[in-house]
Amino acid sequence: MRSEVGDYDGRAELAGRLPAECSTWDPLCQSQYLEMAHLLPGYILSSQGDRVAMAHGVEGRYPFLDPDVVAFAATLPPALKMKVLNEKYL
């Protein structure tokens, strides 16, 4: 497998796209950033959200994508965002 991708290092590429202070963040905050910055725009919203809804004539509403809500949620401490596996703790 290594010979097929050559010297490509996906981890190094991803690390180059992360903010410099990312390594000092809480692991939950790191995960949330990765999901928001890299998974949401290109995959989750297009393949599991808007395209699927519109293909079936349904208008999807995504209230938690409002910039003010996202900015507020980013200021919350990780302990309020998730407790054990309860993702909707707050």
Side-chain angles (χ1 to χ4, degrees):
M1 179 75 178
R2 188 67 161 148
S3 62
E4 294 175 16
V5 295
D7 292 332
Y8 174 73
D9 185 0
R11 287 183 180 185
E13 180 182 346
L14 179 60
R17 294 180 181 189
L18 298 175
E21 66 277 5
C22 183
S23 63
T24 64
W25 296 348
D26 182 84
L28 178 62
C29 296
Q30 291 176 355
S31 300
Q32 288 178 321
Y33 176 82
L34 286 172
E35 188 168 356
M36 285 189 303
H38 298 282
L39 289 177
L40 230 109
Y43 173 68
I44 293 176
L45 287 179
S46 64
S47 68
Q48 295 179 350
D50 198 43
R51 285 187 190 169
V52 174
M54 296 306 287
H56 297 283
V58 177
E59 180 182 351
R61 305 249 176 178
Y62 308 102
F64 297 114
L65 295 179
D66 180 271
D68 294 331
V69 173
V70 172
F72 170 71
T75 65
L76 295 172
L80 291 178
K81 294 179 184 179
M82 186 172 172
K83 186 166 184 128
V84 188
L85 294 178
N86 183 357
E87 296 175 347
K88 298 176 183 176
Y89 176 65
L90 182 62

